[in-house]
Amino acid sequence: MPIVNRAAKHAVALETTLLVHGVPKDSARPLADELNAIVESQGASPALVGVVHGAPTVGMTPEELDTLLAADSVAKANTANLGVLMARGQHAATTVSATMELAAAAGVDVFATGGLGGVHPGYAEHLDISSDLAAFTRFPVAVVTSGVKSILDVLSTREALETLGVPVVGFRTDHFPAFYLRESEAGVDARFDDADELASFLTAELARTGRGVVVANPIPETNEINPDEWFNWLAEAERQADDAGATGRARTPALLAALHTVSRGRTLAANLALVRSNATLAARLAAPAPH
Ligand code: PSU
Ligand code: MN
């Protein structure tokens, strides 16, 4: 199945898992509209990525997004199950790994998301490591992210990126961010304070290696969540996800949904704020260089 490629020049890829599985249904369409407007306001063009009736699409229309949002159940696709879902003509929301694969195939090299998947805690019993991490070793895409979701083992995830040899650069930070929290104890490979310098580096690095780069952009200060509050909410959300038996691909959406409830919407507001901020930076990086 060839890719439906509607990406314009200076495109920023956006993913559908965040919209379909990461936020409540009624927040999805307004968030998508807002992200499109943010990207356009910086002189770049948005390209929403997902699978509609089996067609891998880079640059989904608002109607196609509505089709996914109205469907009873939409599969969550990473690089492992993407091909099967396409072959069977199904709808799918793409995670970071599947979005990177399709974006790269469409020639889009900048992508904004909320937070990467990574190493889940509890790996002494069994491993659960997101396919997002390995995708950076295969697809030449710069992914602007607020680090990895704080529901994960952030330090182990940072080490896993190091093991895979994935470059992790911080935008105006020396610390690897943890989604709702601006800092973790882990660091970055390099800090960039200037967006134009970062854009030049990314162009050169992607061309040099043919692999991806993590661009770590901390949540805006005013939207950061207090760590003490955060760890209480997380403990409660983990209990709820355990009770619901949410494992594997269901684990991340179950934890995010439980957090949004337990925090009375505070984690949702923070999540929306950081995605907007990442879209803004990604669009700046993708937009034509100033003269
Ligand atoms: N960022 C968000 N919310 C999300 C995600 C990212 O703010 O829901 C999604 C991304 O699509 C990411 C996925 O790739 O969660 C990770 O899922 P898993 O842990 O099953 O690999
Ligand atoms: Mn997993």
Side-chain angles (χ1 to χ4, degrees):
M1 166 85 59
I3 289 190
V4 178
N5 184 0
R6 302 194 196 102
K9 279 188 107 178
H10 308 293
V12 172
L14 301 167
E15 53 140 317
T16 34
T17 293
L18 161 68
L19 296 170
V20 176
H21 299 293
V23 299
K25 271 258 139 79
D26 55 356
S27 303
R29 187 55 203 280
L31 176 59
D33 292 343
E34 220 183 334
L35 296 178
N36 285 341
I38 287 171
V39 170
E40 281 166 358
S41 74
Q42 303 291 317
S45 39
L48 182 62
V49 178
V51 179
V52 189
H53 294 296
T57 305
V58 177
M60 284 170 58
T61 62
E63 293 71 31
E64 286 170 338
L65 173 59
D66 287 342
T67 301
L68 292 201
L69 292 172
D72 284 339
S73 81
V74 174
K76 177 176 158 189
N78 59 33
T79 39
N81 58 339
L82 175 66
V84 173
L85 293 163
M86 284 163 44
R88 299 200 165 152
Q90 287 181 251
H91 297 314
T94 51
T95 62
V96 168
S97 69
T99 304
M100 286 178 77
E101 179 166 345
L102 296 178
V108 177
D109 59 5
V110 181
F111 164 21
T113 184
L116 302 179
V119 181
H120 284 263
Y123 41 82
E125 270 174 60
H126 71 266
L127 275 179
D128 181 349
I129 303 178
S130 175
S131 61
D132 289 355
L133 303 185
F136 283 87
T137 68
R138 301 169 58 196
F139 308 116
V141 179
V143 183
V144 182
T145 168
S146 298
V148 295
K149 294 199 208 59
S150 344
I151 55 176
L152 299 167
D153 179 334
V154 177
L155 298 186
S156 294
T157 304
R158 178 67 187 91
E159 287 298 335
L161 286 165
E162 171 77 8
T163 301
L164 294 168
V166 177
V168 177
V169 300
F171 184 65
R172 298 185 182 159
T173 184
D174 296 306
H175 302 275
F176 188 56
F179 206 60
Y180 306 119
L181 313 177
R182 284 180 59 82
E183 292 184 1
S184 69
E185 281 161 43
V188 293
D189 292 310
R191 169 183 178 133
F192 285 80
D193 288 294
D194 181 68
D196 297 326
E197 190 203 349
L198 176 55
S200 312
F201 166 72
L202 292 171
T203 303
E205 182 71 359
L206 265 49
R208 186 183 73 84
T209 64
R211 302 188 298 261
V213 176
V214 175
V215 178
N217 183 38
I219 184 171
E221 258 164 73
T222 48
N223 303 104
E224 188 180 26
I225 285 179
N226 172 307
D228 295 333
E229 244 174 350
W230 161 251
F231 287 108
N232 288 328
W233 293 340
L234 178 60
E236 177 55 30
E238 280 174 336
R239 266 192 297 276
Q240 291 185 14
D242 289 345
D243 290 349
T247 57
R249 282 177 200 138
R251 183 95 190 157
T252 297
L255 281 171
L256 292 177
L259 281 165
H260 296 335
T261 310
V262 169
S263 71
R264 295 169 188 270
R266 295 266 307 283
T267 55
L268 177 60
N271 199 337
L272 298 178
L274 66 85
V275 176
R276 286 185 204 110
S277 161
N278 293 341
T280 309
L281 176 57
R284 270 215 63 191
L285 296 172
H291 295 286

